[in-house]
């Protein structure tokens, strides 16, 4: 035991730890930098970059690290690159770690829910903002365990540097054992030193997981608040950045709104008919491979009008909404929002993803999705306030105030600090509606806003939408199967089938007396199968 303790504190072995850590640090830091580039290349739209990154990954994952170290130390001098042994070992380890780290990064990015990315795009986030604010925070949290595992692996693999005479811990242990012949005590001490090092890595990993845990009881000063994608100016004073956002009356109770009378409908229809066009779709065509989804569709929606889209699944309702917001490209036809041709410049050329994002934010087309698509790492308040800061340049004070007002309006002020997974489906959809309303959009698109909800939660969401339509006069296009709701709220109904509008007209008229046989058949089936709405 005394010999073992002697070896455990022997300066000769402890000095080897320093070189072990140097090689490991060079390998991990270099591997992370190179891995970031490889991951970006593989996720790139340019196939040549992706092919190069994939080829690099195949080569360096498929050859032994020991050969790569020998190559870096012995072969590079033949082309005029002579590196010290530690640098050569670090370079080889970095090149070997890079494809593994790249795959971890790529998996983390691809693991983020695509719906959240679509929601970010709909809110006007550019690709860089999406990466920093939505994708990176979620991907990094999921990658911490894998990166901790890779760090331990790199620490152990640094022992292979002994092949090019780096005096790291393993080589010094071997040399000492060869001179003393006390193999057991020396290698046992060496193994314990490695265990201390890997244990420290594990402790750092667990600490990071704890600090980034969104469900911790005390969340006021969690580490995530200080990371680049969350850092904000806490001393910012209220500015005029939100000046264009209408002040909304707080305190909306989710009490049933009064139904419109026939006289109210007539006055509303007359008013809407005099308004300018908000959305104009002409000869819109869209295909997915061989399947045609939209076939020369024409549609006009005026300012303040509420249009309900009806039709069977696969009729093109969701695709139409996604095309209006340019979340989908299309094959032919034009879409204008507020007289502006969305997605195209004055010269008719398609805009870049960044330019399209800026245009979405400027034109103001909000969208509410079937699956809510709230940002899972942000609270209800942050889901609303965050995009106002990142896209519209609002200060934290203004954005938070706007978020609180909207949450109060949809009856969720008491859930402002709750994460999406701690909210019911109806509450999540109400937060999603508040988020879409935050920048005061000119048009609000709602894609089956109640289809993912349990029957008992449907009415609370529909009531919020009723208020927006009746009290606010917001321009809305709603894809829905709720016939009673469409009759009460919509000014006009359009029935789609096979990517075409077969029938459209005043909501009550079409729903009570459809002219087209397919419309009548659809309405009878939906009316027979639908779950009755809760009593109002």
């Amino acid at each position: 035991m005394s010999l073992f303790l002697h070896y455990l504190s022997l300066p000769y072995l402890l000095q080897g730890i320093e070189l072990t850590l140097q090689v490991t640090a060079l390998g991990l830091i270099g591997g992370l930098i190179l891995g970031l580039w490889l991951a970006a290349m593989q996720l790139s739209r340019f196939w040549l970059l992706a092919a190069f990154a994939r080829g690099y990954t195949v080569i360096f994952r498929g050859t032994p690290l020991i050969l790569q170290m020998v190559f870096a130390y012995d072969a590079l001098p033949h082309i005029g690159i002579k590196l010290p042994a530690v640098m050569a070992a670090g370079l080889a380890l970095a090149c070997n770690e890079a494809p593994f780290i790249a795959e971890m990064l790529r998996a983390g990015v691809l693991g983020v829910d695509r719906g959240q990315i679509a929601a970010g795009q709909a809110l006007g986030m550019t690709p860089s903002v999406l990466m920093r604010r939505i994708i990176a925070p979620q991907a990094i949290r999921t990658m911490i365990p894998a990166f901790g595992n890779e760090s331990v692996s790199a620490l152990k693999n640094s022992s292979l540097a002994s092949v090019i005479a780096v005096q790291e811990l393993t080589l010094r242990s071997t040399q000492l054992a060869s001179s003393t012949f006390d193999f057991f005590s020396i290698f046992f001490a060496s193994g314990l030193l490695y265990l201390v090092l890997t244990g420290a890595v594990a402790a750092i990993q667990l600490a990071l997981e704890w600090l980034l845990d969104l469900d911790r009881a005390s969340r006021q000063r969690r580490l995530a608040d200080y990371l680049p994608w969350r850092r904000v100016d806490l001393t910012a004073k209220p500015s005029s950045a939100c000046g264009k956002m209408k002040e909304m009356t707080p305190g909306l109770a989710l009490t049933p709104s009064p139904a419109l009378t026939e006289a109210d409908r007539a006055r509303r229809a007359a008013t809407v008919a005099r308004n300018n066009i908000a959305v104009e779709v002409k000869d819109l065509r869209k295909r997915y491979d061989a399947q045609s989804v939209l076939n020369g569709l024409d549609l006009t929606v005026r300012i303040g009008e509420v249009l309900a889209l009806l039709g069977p699944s696969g009729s093109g309702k969701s695709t139409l909404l996604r095309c209006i917001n340019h979340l989908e490209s299309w094959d032919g036809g034009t879409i204008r929002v507020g007289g502006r041709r969305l997605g195209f410049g004055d010269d008719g050329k398609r805009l870049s993803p960044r330019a399209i994002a800026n245009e979405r934010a400027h034109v103001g087309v909000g969208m509410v999705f079937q699956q809510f698509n709230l940002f899972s790492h942000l609270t209800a308040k942050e889901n609303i306030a965050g995009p106002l800061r990142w896209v519209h340049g609002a200060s934290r004070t203004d954005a938070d105030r706007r978020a609180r007002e909207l949450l109060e309006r949809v009856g969720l002020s008491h859930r402002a600090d709750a994460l999406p997974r701690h909210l019911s489906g109806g509450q999540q959809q109400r937060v999603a509606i508040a988020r879409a309303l935050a920048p005061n959009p000119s048009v609000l698109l709602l894609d089956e806003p109640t289809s993912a909800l349990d029957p008992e939660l449907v009415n609370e969401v529909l009531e919020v939408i009723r208020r927006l339509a009746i009290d606010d006069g917001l321009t809305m296009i709603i894809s829905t199967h709720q016939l009673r709701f469409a009759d009460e709220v919509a000014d006009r109904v359009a029935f789609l089938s096979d990517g075409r509008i077969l029938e459209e007209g005043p909501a009550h008229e079409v729903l009570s007396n459809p002219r087209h046989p397919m419309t009548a058949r659809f309405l009878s089936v939906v009316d027979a199968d639908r779950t009755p709405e809760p009593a109002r």
Side-chain angles (χ1 to χ4, degrees):
M1 177 59 70
S2 59
L3 270 178
F4 168 71
L5 295 175
H6 169 71
Y7 292 133
L8 198 59
S9 59
L10 192 66
Y12 185 70
L13 290 183
L14 296 179
Q15 290 167 6
I17 293 177
E18 181 180 351
L19 290 173
T20 295
L21 292 176
Q22 286 181 18
V23 173
T24 303
L26 288 171
L28 287 176
I29 295 172
L32 180 60
I33 295 171
L34 187 54
L36 282 168
W37 281 101
L38 290 174
M41 291 166 70
Q42 291 194 58
L43 294 170
S44 169
R45 293 175 294 166
F46 302 103
W47 69 268
L48 193 60
L49 291 177
F52 176 83
R54 178 55 60 184
Y56 178 99
T57 299
V58 170
I59 292 172
F60 278 86
R61 274 198 320 198
T63 53
L65 175 58
I66 193 170
L67 295 182
Q68 295 166 15
M69 287 195 172
V70 171
F71 180 88
Y73 188 65
D74 292 331
L76 289 182
H78 292 287
I79 59 173
I81 303 176
K82 177 63 177 177
L83 297 175
V86 172
M87 290 295 295
L91 174 64
L93 186 58
C95 292
N96 184 269
E97 287 292 325
F100 295 97
I101 293 176
E103 291 300 280
M104 288 162 39
L105 294 170
R106 195 166 67 92
V109 169
L110 295 178
V112 176
D113 180 50
R114 297 295 97 181
Q116 294 185 43
I117 296 175
Q121 292 171 333
L123 289 164
M125 294 186 194
T126 62
S128 61
V129 171
L130 266 173
M131 180 59 70
R132 288 187 295 114
R133 305 292 188 174
I134 306 304
I135 299 174
Q138 299 183 64
I140 287 175
R141 282 175 45 240
T142 62
M143 289 188 299
I144 287 176
F147 193 75
N149 186 63
E150 198 61 32
S151 299
V152 170
S153 177
L155 183 61
K156 294 189 295 184
N157 285 339
S158 66
S159 64
L160 294 176
S162 60
V163 74
I164 56 174
V166 175
Q167 295 285 316
E168 45 72 54
L169 180 58
T170 301
L171 181 58
R172 288 177 181 245
S173 300
T174 304
Q175 292 171 340
L176 189 61
S178 298
S179 62
T180 63
F181 297 101
D182 189 1
F183 290 93
F184 177 80
S185 298
I186 293 173
F187 282 115
F188 187 51
S190 176
L192 188 58
L193 291 173
Y194 269 111
L195 188 60
V196 170
L197 295 177
T198 56
V201 173
I204 294 172
Q205 174 191 327
L206 292 174
L208 287 174
E209 290 178 10
W210 182 80
L211 288 169
L212 294 176
D213 182 9
L214 298 177
D215 291 313
R216 283 196 296 118
S218 176
R219 305 180 63 248
Q220 296 302 312
R221 281 286 179 258
R222 62 180 184 274
L223 177 62
D225 289 335
Y226 298 96
L227 295 176
W229 54 82
R230 296 289 302 281
R231 187 169 59 245
V232 293
D233 184 5
L234 298 177
T235 62
K237 296 180 179 180
S239 68
S240 60
C242 289
K244 65 177 182 178
M245 304 172 194
K246 291 189 301 185
E247 291 294 329
M248 305 181 73
T249 305
L252 172 70
L254 294 181
T255 54
S257 55
L260 293 177
T261 64
E262 289 300 321
D264 292 333
R265 289 177 184 271
R267 284 194 298 270
R268 181 177 170 83
T271 301
V272 168
R274 293 192 296 268
N275 291 344
N276 293 329
I277 294 175
V279 178
E280 185 179 35
V281 180
K282 286 187 176 180
D283 194 29
L284 189 64
R285 296 183 299 278
K286 170 70 177 176
R287 299 177 67 89
Y288 290 112
D289 297 325
Q291 181 182 4
S292 182
V293 181
L294 298 174
N295 297 293
L297 186 143
D298 295 313
L299 181 69
T300 300
V301 182
R302 295 187 176 275
I303 295 174
E305 185 175 17
V306 179
L307 174 70
L309 300 177
L310 303 179
S313 297
S315 60
K317 304 186 300 297
S318 296
T319 302
L320 172 59
L321 294 179
R322 293 176 68 86
C323 286
I324 291 175
N325 207 12
H326 214 292
L327 294 177
E328 294 278 358
S329 58
W330 55 90
D331 303 313
T334 59
I335 298 175
R336 296 183 183 275
V337 179
R340 187 166 179 171
R341 191 181 178 194
L342 197 62
F344 295 86
D346 296 334
D347 55 1
K349 293 183 179 179
R350 291 182 184 273
L351 298 177
S352 66
R354 179 182 179 84
I356 291 174
N358 292 329
E359 189 176 50
R360 285 194 195 101
H362 177 75
V363 172
V365 183
M367 188 158 185
V368 178
F369 298 84
Q370 286 179 267
Q371 301 298 330
F372 326 133
N373 293 351
L374 296 180
F375 306 130
S376 62
H377 62 299
L378 302 179
T379 64
K381 185 180 75 174
E382 291 167 343
N383 261 276
I384 301 169
L388 292 178
R389 299 198 307 268
W390 309 328
V391 176
H392 300 279
S395 70
R396 179 165 187 162
T397 304
D398 288 339
D400 285 353
R401 183 178 66 246
R402 175 70 166 162
R404 286 191 295 270
E405 289 173 355
L406 287 166
L407 285 172
E408 186 173 355
R409 185 161 200 222
V410 299
L412 289 174
S413 57
H414 62 295
R415 302 292 281 155
D417 295 322
L419 292 168
R421 60 178 170 271
H422 298 153
L423 300 173
S424 69
Q427 290 173 332
Q428 289 187 58
Q429 192 63 294
R430 283 149 61 189
V431 173
I433 292 172
R435 182 179 65 180
L437 290 174
N440 189 29
S442 59
V443 178
L444 184 62
L445 310 176
L446 298 102
D447 184 13
E448 294 283 2
T450 60
S451 65
L453 300 178
D454 293 331
E456 64 270 17
L457 301 176
V458 168
N459 206 51
E460 66 182 53
V461 172
L462 294 183
E463 190 55 47
V464 172
I465 302 173
R466 281 188 183 97
R467 289 287 187 177
L468 294 174
I470 295 173
D471 296 349
D472 289 34
L474 184 63
T475 305
M476 291 193 286
I477 305 177
I478 310 171
S479 169
T480 183
H481 284 87
Q482 299 286 336
L483 300 186
R484 178 181 169 185
F485 167 71
D487 189 19
E488 293 177 353
V489 172
D491 300 295
R492 194 157 49 94
V493 162
F495 177 76
L496 277 69
S497 181
D498 296 326
R500 294 186 178 89
I501 295 179
L502 298 186
E503 182 175 355
E504 64 178 315
H508 187 69
E509 180 181 320
V510 171
L511 293 173
S512 59
N513 187 27
R515 296 186 303 274
H516 198 285
M518 289 189 67
T519 309
R521 184 161 57 250
F522 172 81
L523 294 178
S524 64
V525 171
V526 172
D527 194 52
D529 293 345
R530 69 187 176 93
T531 303
E533 292 184 14
R536 299 180 58 203

